[in-house]
Amino acid sequence: MNRLILAMRFLRRDSRSGELTLLMLALIIAVASSTAISLFANRMNRTMNFQAAEFLAADMVVSSPELIHTHYLQQAKKLNLKQSQTSEFSSMLIENEQFLLAGIKVVSDNYPLHGTLKVRQETYTQEQTLKHGPKKGEVWIESRILSALQLKLGDPLQIGEIPLLVSHIITYEPDKRGDLYSLSPRVMMNAADLSATKILQPGSHVHHFYQFSGAEADIVKFKEWLKPQLTASQRLMDIYDDRPKIGSALQKAERYLGLSSIVVVLIAGVAIAMATRRFSERHFNSTAILRCLGYKQNEVLQLFLWQFLFIGLIASFIGCILGWISQELLFQFLRDLLPAQVADPSFLAVLFGMIIGIVVLFGFALPPLLRLKQVSPLRILQRDLTPLPSSAWLVYGLAISLLVLLISQYTQDVKMTLSILIVGMLSLSVLGGLSYGLLGLTRLLLPHVNLTWRFGLQGLSKHQKSNITQILAFSMTLLAIILSFTVRTDLIRDWQKQLPINAPNHFALNVFAEQKDQLALDLKEQGITIENFYPVVRGRLGMSTN
Amino acid sequence: MNSLLDENKSYIITVKNLYKTVNSIEGSLTILSDVGFKVKPAESIAIIGASGSGKSTLLSLLAGLDRSTSGTIEIFGQSLNKLNEDQRASLRNKMIGFVFQSFQLLPNLNALENVMLPLELVGDKQAKSLATQLLDRVGLSHRLKHIPNQLSGGEQQRVALARAFVTHPKILFADEPTGNLDSNTGEHIIDLLFELNKENRTTLVLVTHDQRLANRCVRTIKLSGGRIV
Ligand SMILES: Nc1ncnc2c1ncn2[C@@H]1O[C@H](COP(=O)(O)OP(=O)(O)OP(=O)(O)O)[C@@H](O)[C@H]1O
Ligand SMILES: [Mg+2]
């Protein structure tokens, strides 16, 4: 407690010194940029997951042409998974002497587990959003069934053996499948009415769907348990493996932003390392006095670590807020490209910024801070007694492991991480060798130049080691900036190459031959050109064995 | 045998055959050779000698800031050579006070905070009141919140004295405590030093060029070329 107060007292007096301001600024920028990127990525991922969950109306779905074993469902219950079931089949409807082939969907009471249904009570009223399907005794139908069978809302509709009340027009169901089979107009009914209809006979062509939702770990556990037991005709889908992949363009953009933020972190890191070095050197005398007064090595070190921890927390907090704001702006900016509903970031993604801040700060500040531990109390009498510089292994080791961590975090790709690192190290050693050679050359030149030049060059070769370090730091920073520009140009070119100019982006299905010309004409009036019409035919593929 | 032990106990500092050699560019350099002496509690000793004779080096060894090349230094019967870095730090905190010629206050902290430092290290709850008392004793009660930059040289030296005495050390080491002060201010600091020495029965070991200061000590040790003469 005492140490903490003392640390804060030191910090208060030091807060106006240039190096701490620089250090905080660098850290804030590093944290803000990496938080913005990680929040963005996190929200995109969650959005994709939510969309996938909505698409399945669950976290995981098992489809099967026959009913599945009840002990599967019991196992799901044991794992605290929520469940619902749907069955889909085709049936011919006959009303008012009109025939219509409809896609019947029988839903259990807790359907849908994710997403919502949309219905209308009258033909032209406002859509209503509901989290459940039809009640017992009711059916919801698509509006085209009303006209085809000359029905109106409130009429009974005969399904197999029993009449059900047409209560709502259904306009949207989350897990509507896109296959031709499910293109026939929808009739949705409650599972409780199914047996009374007597439609389903042994041998009827039915698809059964079993939906499950719950914590990711439980879903995964259930999936691993269930998968080996499924028959060839049963299929399993879940939002983690089978979700629509985040667009490759977005993924590339995410990576590019991630790598750019590493560049920012690297530049900030160099600034932090240099500022801390100045800070340490300025505190050699104070440290010697404290050691004289009886402070042990670790006690002195703690005093400074507390200060840096405090600075780190404040700067990271500010950085997180700025990162949050920029990420919000980014979403605003990209609004037209993204789903209307974007998920909130997870708590962990916010925490990530704080962690990055502390890790970056200590990754770059620790080596120069550790020198303070080595300050001898004897310095009080011998002022030129300075501690040894921190070992290069420690300095570069820490910085490089930090970069490896960040790069692999952003790229999620071992090969890419390794190649970036190897290229980086190679350029570092080439640059180091070059600087070393140049400095050696200046020493050879010394006797042949005039006094002013001699002073300058002598200064250069005198502090050879720290000069090379500084040259390397600046070159790396420049290199990183150039790299990031190159990648950006490549990225944009890639995007533009992905699709030919004027590639079609809307499609119309189920256009009958006699409607074709009229449709083309109608669209032309709206200024829309049709690329081409393709015939679609259902067919069965067989394989001959001889 | 017993009397020998008692004899050693009656000395607070015992130095025997002390050597200090350093390696410099011109080869190994002997700064102190065969130095030995004893100091009784509450005694005051002046170490004098020409510049470069090894006074500061001797002081740094006595205070455990540096290690000797050979020979022994015992403080309260404890051999400094046998203590590690941290143990010596802890000894300094509990038993030893320091006053130097210059650069000894923390520029970041005000007078009061500077004096509180050694007490805060051991978590003394009364750090603030004790420090205030001592600053009052050296006549600086009106300068508590001033940082070193805002104090004159003499005032800074008085803050340093207050900080040295605030832990009631058994020994006070001082290296040219009046070196940077004009003679009037120097006189005042010397008076204070000896008053505090009397009040606290603190052993004084002073390195000085100042004859007035040396004269007020009970004993004088003169160094020349690293040897006692
Ligand atoms: N680490 C070292 N390396 C080389 N020489 C040293 C070292 N420490 C001290 N010396 C030399 O040892 C001699 C004694 O130094 P010391 O500081 O003890 O002298 P001093 O008596 O205190 O002098 P002054 O009165 O000028 O303060 C000097 O010549 C000094 O240059
Ligand atoms: Mg000296």
Side-chain angles (χ1 to χ4, degrees), chain A residues 382, chain B residues 22-24 29 31 50-58 176 209:
Chain A
Q382 293 180 17
Chain B
V22 293
N23 293 316
S24 64
L29 175 75
I31 306 173
S51 183
S53 56
K55 306 182 297 289
S56 297
T57 307
L58 177 59
E176 319 251 14
H209 279 127

Side-chain angles (χ1 to χ4, degrees), chain B residues 4 8 13-19 33-38 58 62 68 70-74 81:
Chain B
L4 194 75
N8 267 342
I13 304 174
T14 315
V15 181
K16 276 185 208 151
N17 312 105
L18 195 66
Y19 283 83
S33 44
D34 198 23
V35 172
F37 60 91
K38 292 172 180 180
L58 177 59
L62 293 177
S68 62
S70 69
T72 54
I73 301 170
E74 281 180 16
N81 277 345

Side-chain angles (χ1 to χ4, degrees), chain B residues 8-199:
Chain B
N8 267 342
K9 258 189 185 163
S10 60
Y11 293 106
I12 194 164
I13 304 174
T14 315
V15 181
K16 276 185 208 151
N17 312 105
L18 195 66
Y19 283 83
K20 178 68 182 176
T21 336
V22 293
N23 293 316
S24 64
I25 313 163
E26 291 97 38
S28 112
L29 175 75
T30 304
I31 306 173
L32 292 175
S33 44
D34 198 23
V35 172
F37 60 91
K38 292 172 180 180
V39 184
K40 284 184 193 141
E43 219 180 347
S44 54
I45 292 196
I47 300 173
I48 57 170
S51 183
S53 56
K55 306 182 297 289
S56 297
T57 307
L58 177 59
L59 196 77
S60 70
L61 293 178
L62 293 177
L65 301 179
D66 200 2
R67 280 175 183 275
S68 62
T69 311
S70 69
T72 54
I73 301 170
E74 281 180 16
I75 290 188
F76 318 108
Q78 219 168 8
S79 172
L80 285 186
N81 277 345
K82 291 186 183 139
L83 302 181
N84 67 24
E85 194 68 37
D86 283 348
Q87 287 167 326
R88 279 183 276 143
S90 151
L91 181 77
R92 283 198 293 274
N93 182 252
K94 293 198 185 83
M95 308 288 192
I96 295 173
F98 287 98
V99 179
F100 300 108
Q101 184 172 358
S102 56
F103 314 114
Q104 47 185 333
L105 298 180
L106 281 126
N108 288 341
L109 305 181
N110 65 31
L112 181 63
E113 289 163 347
N114 259 293
V115 179
M116 284 162 67
L117 267 182
L119 294 174
E120 279 178 326
L121 178 61
V122 289
D124 194 324
K125 293 267 183 302
Q126 291 171 305
K128 195 163 183 175
S129 65
L130 287 175
T132 315
Q133 266 173 40
L134 260 160
L135 279 166
D136 191 31
R137 176 65 190 83
V138 298
L140 285 177
S141 48
H142 58 301
R143 292 276 187 273
L144 299 183
K145 300 280 165 171
H146 287 56
I147 58 168
N149 267 341
Q150 302 162 334
L151 297 170
S152 73
E155 285 170 333
Q156 286 187 36
Q157 202 61 307
R158 280 189 275 163
V159 175
L161 271 183
R163 190 182 61 195
F165 278 101
V166 79
T167 54
H168 298 289
K170 293 280 182 289
I171 310 170
L172 184 101
F173 291 108
D175 194 358
E176 319 251 14
T178 56
N180 271 356
L181 306 174
D182 64 62
S183 62
N184 260 341
T185 322
E187 194 87 49
H188 184 66
I189 292 291
I190 294 170
D191 287 343
L192 254 177
L193 198 55
F194 281 92
E195 280 166 29
L196 287 167
N197 158 245
K198 281 222 179 64
E199 286 166 21

